[in-house]
Amino acid sequence: MTIAAIGYLRIAATDTDAWMAFGTGVLGLMDAAREDAAGARFLRMDNHPFRFMIEPASKDGLIAAGLECRGRSEWLAVCERLGSAGHTLQAGPADEAARRCVTEYVTVEDPCGNTLELYYGRRLDYAPLISPTGVKQFITGDEYTGDMGFGHAVLPTPDLEAAANFYTELLGLGVSDTLYPPLPEGAPETTILFLHADNPRQHSLALYNHPYTGGVVHIMVEVSSLDEVGRAMDRAKTGGHPILASLGRHVNDNMCSFYVVAPGGIAVEYGYDGLLVDWETYTPTVSTEGDYWGHEYNFPG
Ligand SMILES: [Fe+2]
C-alpha cells in the first residue's frame, strides 16, 4: 500500500479571517501563526506544522489534498505507476515544498479533476497543540497506530469507476465499504466508496458519484470524547454557523458526529469514537444504511 495517510488540505477562502475564526473558535484548531508571503494561514491539530492551509482566493473550496507516502522509494514507485498509466505529474518546486513542510511532492489530478499532492518526508516541529477552545487532542494517531492523517475527506467523482480504479490500482488505497444510502423517492442513484490508507482509520478518503460545489462533499476531524463533540456543537450554534446534520452515528466507521458548514461552504464533520481497523483480517462491507441513528440532514438552500 502506497499512501500512508491524508496529511493535509489546502483550502481556498474568499475570507481567510472568517475561516480562521471558525477553525480556531468553533473547531478548536490552533493558529500556527506562521508568516506566508502569499497570505496563507495555517491551522494545526497535532505535532504536524499544519493540517489545513487556508489560502486567500476569489472562490471558496478545496484546492488540493496532500497524500503522504512513507518514504522516497514509495513515492517514486507511485509516481512511476501514475506516469506509466498516462497521468501528468507536476514536480513541486523546492520553495513550495518548504511551504508545505515536506521534502518533495508532485501534483496530479485524479480522473475527475480533483487535485492531489503526493509527498513524503513531512518536517515536524513537535510544538504541542494549544487549542483555543480547550480541545484536549485531535485523533490523528499515536505510538500504536502511527500517523492516521488529519481525518478524512469525501471527494466528488462523477466517473466513479475511473476514480475507484485510480485510487485503488494506482495509489494503492483499499476499499473499506461501499455505501448505497437510502434516498428519498426520485433522488438520483448514489454510491459512496470508502477507501482506507495504510493506517487503522476506517476511511481516509471517500468517493461520491456526483459533482459537488466547492470540490469536496465534506471533511472530517475527530476529537476524543462525546463532550468535546457536544461543546463544538454549542460553539457552532452560538457562532451562527449552519448545522448541516444533527448528532448521529455512522454505520461504517462508527463515527458519532455532527456536521457544520464552514465559512465559504465546506461541510465539516466533527466526531469521536471512529473505528480503528486491522486490515489483515478485514473484509470490505457493503452498506445500505448510512447511520445507526441521527444525522438528520438540513441542506442550506
Ligand atoms: Fe464523514
Side-chain angles (χ1 to χ4, degrees):
M1 180 156 301
T2 307
I3 303 300
I6 180 165
Y8 64 82
L9 293 179
R10 292 175 55 207
I11 292 170
T14 52
D15 186 344
T16 51
D17 286 341
W19 225 108
M20 290 301 287
F22 171 82
T24 54
V26 176
L27 305 182
L29 300 167
M30 176 181 174
D31 184 348
R34 216 176 99 185
E35 292 292 325
D36 182 73
R41 311 278 297 272
F42 300 85
L43 287 165
R44 58 188 302 155
M45 53 170 59
D46 56 10
N47 62 2
H48 279 235
F50 69 87
R51 292 293 195 171
F52 300 137
M53 180 167 170
I54 313 297
E55 306 181 42
S58 56
K59 208 170 150 228
D60 291 288
L62 183 69
I63 301 171
L67 302 181
E68 181 160 62
C69 300
R70 293 222 184 274
R72 190 159 202 270
S73 59
E74 289 85 348
W75 179 74
L76 288 173
V78 73
C79 290
E80 166 70 28
R81 272 207 302 278
L82 288 165
S84 301
H87 293 277
T88 307
L89 303 177
Q90 247 188 340
D95 58 333
E96 284 295 318
R99 206 168 160 229
R100 289 155 178 72
C101 309
V102 301
T103 304
E104 285 186 277
Y105 77 100
V106 293
T107 303
V108 65
E109 281 192 5
D110 78 7
C112 301
N114 299 296
T115 304
L116 308 173
E117 296 180 352
L118 306 173
Y119 70 90
Y120 71 93
R122 196 115 210 249
R123 292 162 190 229
L124 310 183
D125 59 13
Y126 301 101
L129 172 78
I130 301 170
S131 166
T133 62
V135 169
K136 215 161 53 190
Q137 69 172 135
F138 289 92
I139 305 300
T140 59
D142 55 29
E143 65 268 41
Y144 303 107
T145 63
D147 179 32
M148 301 200 297
F150 75 83
H152 67 235
V154 183
L155 301 177
T157 54
D159 187 346
L160 184 60
E161 201 182 322
N165 186 59
F166 174 89
Y167 284 98
T168 58
E169 300 301 317
L170 300 179
L171 296 192
L173 296 169
V175 174
S176 45
D177 182 49
T178 307
L179 169 64
Y180 303 104
L183 297 166
E185 223 175 81
E189 183 271 328
T190 292
T191 307
I192 307 171
L193 188 68
F194 293 85
L195 302 172
H196 70 86
D198 190 16
N199 73 68
R201 199 189 285 286
Q202 198 269 353
H203 60 274
S204 292
L205 269 181
L207 309 177
Y208 171 71
N209 70 329
H210 293 287
Y212 206 85
T213 320
V216 64
V217 181
H218 74 258
I219 64 177
M220 190 283 302
V221 299
E222 185 177 0
V223 289
S224 61
S225 73
L226 180 60
D227 287 337
E228 288 197 340
V229 174
R231 283 197 287 268
M233 207 156 64
D234 284 352
R235 294 193 296 271
K237 283 180 184 164
T238 304
H241 301 283
I243 303 295
L244 184 69
S246 63
L247 193 66
R249 191 186 283 276
H250 285 305
V251 292
N252 63 18
D253 68 351
N254 200 52
M255 193 69 69
C256 182
S257 58
F258 76 102
Y259 291 61
V260 56
V261 181
I266 291 180
V268 182
E269 178 182 8
Y270 200 95
Y272 95 110
D273 210 18
L275 190 66
L276 300 182
V277 176
D278 175 0
W279 300 114
E280 286 285 304
T281 55
Y282 185 78
T283 303
T285 48
V286 178
S287 302
T288 55
E289 288 291 339
D291 306 290
Y292 288 116
W293 54 268
H295 283 150
E296 191 184 328
Y297 290 91
N298 178 25
F299 291 96

